[in-house]
Amino acid sequence: MKVVIFDGVCNLCNSSVDFLIRRDKKAQLKFTANQHQTGQQILQEAGVTDVETLYFYEDGTLYDRSTAVLRLSRYLPFPWNVGQIFLIVPRFLRDGVYRWIARNRYSWFGKKDSCRLPSPAESARFLD
């Protein structure tokens, strides 16, 4: 199973989910907010306590931060799938950029009062 665990109140995160849904034509990716039970369960089973990042659970392995984003790109069509080439960049550099964006995401993009609700057409893609 391939699950994107995101911050359900973050506007940037929600826009990213919309981006992924529109481009994942094969519907390989599933989604859950880290505030929802399924997201919390996956993170808890992996021993994760930091929920301030994006996670990608792929076939039993949990990826975080820039690695999660870049591994997600393989499920998107060209040119987005080329993003995975950046996995060759040292993680400390990639995660430095990721952390800078994550630290500022609420002030730059805003925050919702409650988690994103999937549309009826999207509901099969969401685990909660």
Side-chain angles (χ1 to χ4, degrees):
M1 183 181 315
K2 295 154 188 61
V3 182
V4 178
I5 305 166
F6 64 100
D7 181 350
V9 297
C10 168
N11 287 338
L12 174 61
C13 301
N14 284 298
S15 294
S16 298
V17 168
D18 292 339
F19 177 90
L20 291 168
I21 288 172
R22 282 193 307 273
R23 286 161 182 82
D24 177 24
K25 302 293 185 194
K26 296 178 184 176
Q28 299 174 87
L29 302 173
K30 302 289 185 189
F31 302 89
T32 185
N34 61 27
Q35 293 91 346
H36 291 156
Q37 183 177 357
T38 303
Q40 290 175 357
Q41 181 179 354
I42 292 169
L43 295 175
Q44 192 173 43
E45 287 174 5
V48 171
T49 57
D50 173 18
V51 294
E52 292 298 314
T53 187
L54 175 85
Y55 290 94
F56 180 45
Y57 182 78
E58 181 183 33
D59 302 325
T61 304
L62 188 67
Y63 301 97
D64 65 357
R65 296 180 179 80
S66 65
T67 303
V69 172
L70 295 174
R71 289 196 62 95
L72 277 166
S73 72
R74 73 172 33 172
Y75 297 101
L76 304 178
F78 182 83
W80 309 109
N81 60 359
V82 177
Q84 60 189 319
I85 196 165
F86 290 103
L87 287 166
I88 65 170
V89 174
R91 184 175 178 147
F92 78 93
L93 293 173
R94 291 185 281 118
D95 281 355
V97 172
Y98 182 96
R99 284 186 178 100
W100 176 65
I101 294 169
R103 246 189 334 270
N104 294 291
R105 71 186 190 274
Y106 293 146
S107 61
W108 292 346
F109 302 99
K111 183 177 177 180
K112 297 180 183 298
D113 292 329
S114 62
C115 286
R116 174 194 201 286
L117 296 175
S119 69
E122 298 170 340
S123 63
R125 306 282 304 272
F126 283 77
L127 300 177
D128 290 311

